[in-house]
Amino acid sequence: MSDLALLGGTPSRRQRPWPAWPQYDERTEGELIAALRSRRWAVSWPTDGSPSRERRFAEEFARYNDVAHCVSVDHGSSALVVALEALDIGPGDEVIVPVMTWVAPVTAVLRVGALPVVVDVDPETGCLTPEAIREATSARTKAVIVVHLACTVADVDGIREVVDEAGISLIEDCAQAHGAQWRGRKVGTFGALGVFSFQMGKVLAGGEGGAVITSDPVLYRRAEQLRADSRRYADVDVPAGGSELVEDGEVMGGNYCMSELTAGVLLDQLPRLDQQHEHREKMAAVLEAGLAELGGLGPIPVPAEADVRSVYEYGIRFRPGTFGSVPVERVADAVAAELGMALWPPDLPLHRSVMFHPHTKRRFANVWTPEGRTRALGREYPGAERYRDTTLIFHHQALLGDAADMADIVAAVEKVRAQHESLS
Ligand SMILES: *Cc1c(COP(=O)(O)O)cnc(C)c1O
């Protein structure tokens, strides 16, 4: 007899709410109302004499990452486009991307007219490996977009070695890794550019938003213009009534500017980030101690050089067979039903995702030829399949709870494992 909640039994967690996300208080409201009342809702509107919020946020976020430059943008997806355009990547070029990721890195490559070359990932971490990059590099390869996925960090040293050897650029997609560190240095600072998303689910939430960071003044100057219709900040102080943006036009841009209202929210949220990281890390330690006792289950591994991780989505890895031959989707549903909390397998690898369908848009017809498609996807993805089949994911907000919440997660996993046969 099974009493799994998914099959109509009593859930193992008693009715108790999970922590809310995003988090805000009167201070957030104050920042937002101040931005509202300033009547300057866009960086492209005349200044009241003080710097725009999107500029202030960019400066704060650069400081947070200990990097010289940051440009605020409207989405993480735009940040990727701006980074690629800053490197002047376009038609005829190839960019290597991992098969496990949100779809944005591949769409960004297509949007600049280049071809995404999709390669397999490490089965334990879901991240790009130096070997896969080396194998996929061709004379047309201009850059690699590495994604620090979920709650771990890709092998930064190994990847840098390969890209340096090949003489190509590295873009770090840190949309899931704000604040993570590799040998004491923030991720996003190891390549030519680092990109971030502040979409509300990410650990730094602004509703929608993004940023590009770089230590290279030339790339910064280009990125500024690429995000604001060829304009960049004036080099001199601008009096009230003037424009902080001047038409420069060294490189033709688009409008990817972050709203002042968003920047106001982000200025409130950024100082909270490290405290939230610390709390999540404490709770992750409790959870991991509980999982270790179960045997066969554990966290997504983090390389030893990554001294700080950022938990965006927490991943529980399990040894094949832990739940018999029950598919990971069904395991996730069963655990979710016990907890009253969303839990899922990783997103489908790109070669199986309906979100990666360039043939549905005429604009991509020039790159998405039969040859282009084969070059992009003509390989096997066993690492990704294995990662996906043996990982359970949940959103970081659960880690903002307490030790009792962590015990509930462990108990739910244990219950489902004990009764997995009833799920077949
Ligand atoms: C969320 C995300 C993005 C895109 O960010 P948006 O702000 O939603 O456009 C890019 N890359 C990765 C890995 C992401 O998780």
Side-chain angles (χ1 to χ4, degrees), residues 129-145:
T129 64
E131 298 74 38
I133 296 170
R134 190 174 283 122
E135 253 167 57
T137 304
S138 78
R140 296 185 155 200
T141 309
K142 289 288 154 55
V144 174
I145 300 178

Side-chain angles (χ1 to χ4, degrees), residues 135-392:
E135 253 167 57
T137 304
S138 78
R140 296 185 155 200
T141 309
K142 289 288 154 55
V144 174
I145 300 178
V146 60
V147 177
H148 303 301
L149 196 68
C151 52
T152 192
V153 179
D155 174 6
V156 173
D157 290 343
I159 291 171
R160 275 209 49 169
E161 206 180 303
V162 187
V163 298
D164 289 350
E165 223 169 76
I168 56 184
S169 301
L170 178 63
I171 297 173
E172 285 179 89
D173 182 338
C174 308
Q176 307 190 1
H178 318 60
Q181 295 186 24
W182 181 268
R183 288 189 285 101
R185 193 166 131 195
K186 291 277 194 328
V187 299
T189 63
F190 289 90
L193 305 119
V195 303
F196 294 82
S197 164
F198 309 121
Q199 186 271 344
M200 65 166 289
K202 311 288 159 123
V203 293
L204 184 54
E208 302 275 10
V212 181
I213 63 173
T214 183
S215 57
D216 183 331
V218 175
L219 293 177
Y220 171 62
R221 197 177 164 109
R222 286 177 61 85
E224 265 197 89
Q225 295 172 60
L226 287 163
R227 73 87 165 72
D229 286 322
S230 319
R231 295 169 293 178
R232 61 183 188 89
Y233 298 128
D235 290 324
V236 293
D237 283 343
V238 180
S243 174
E244 258 180 292
L245 294 175
V246 292
E247 293 175 13
D248 205 333
E250 294 164 337
V251 55
M252 186 167 174
N255 181 5
Y256 300 124
C257 290
M258 174 185 282
S259 153
E260 287 294 283
L261 305 180
T262 301
V265 172
L266 285 167
L267 281 166
D268 165 77
Q269 294 286 307
L270 179 57
R272 303 169 193 259
L273 178 58
D274 280 342
Q275 252 176 315
Q276 292 168 341
H277 271 324
E278 270 171 43
H279 187 90
R280 281 187 289 255
E281 207 46 61
K282 241 182 252 163
M283 288 306 115
V286 174
L287 175 63
E288 282 157 23
L291 291 174
E293 277 181 35
L294 299 186
L297 293 133
I300 292 176
V302 181
E305 296 88 340
D307 21 45
V308 178
R309 70 176 163 181
S310 166
V311 180
Y312 162 58
E313 290 175 334
Y314 190 88
I316 299 175
R317 305 258 311 128
F318 58 87
R319 209 181 290 141
T322 302
F323 300 92
S325 54
V326 180
V328 65
E329 289 86 353
R330 189 126 168 100
V331 173
D333 286 349
V335 177
E338 297 301 331
L339 292 170
M341 172 182 105
L343 204 119
W344 59 90
D347 289 335
L348 280 176
L350 289 175
H351 68 292
R352 293 204 280 131
S353 170
V354 294
M355 285 185 281
F356 183 36
H357 275 180
H359 62 272
T360 59
K361 217 177 210 175
R362 227 159 53 79
R363 173 181 167 191
F364 301 137
N366 286 342
V367 277
W368 210 246
T369 56
E371 301 75 47
R373 194 187 174 288
T374 302
R375 177 73 189 127
L377 286 172
R379 37 194 87 68
E380 308 274 299
Y381 301 100
E385 298 292 1
R386 171 142 181 167
Y387 174 79
R388 159 141 171 122
D389 285 346
T390 50
T391 307
L392 298 169

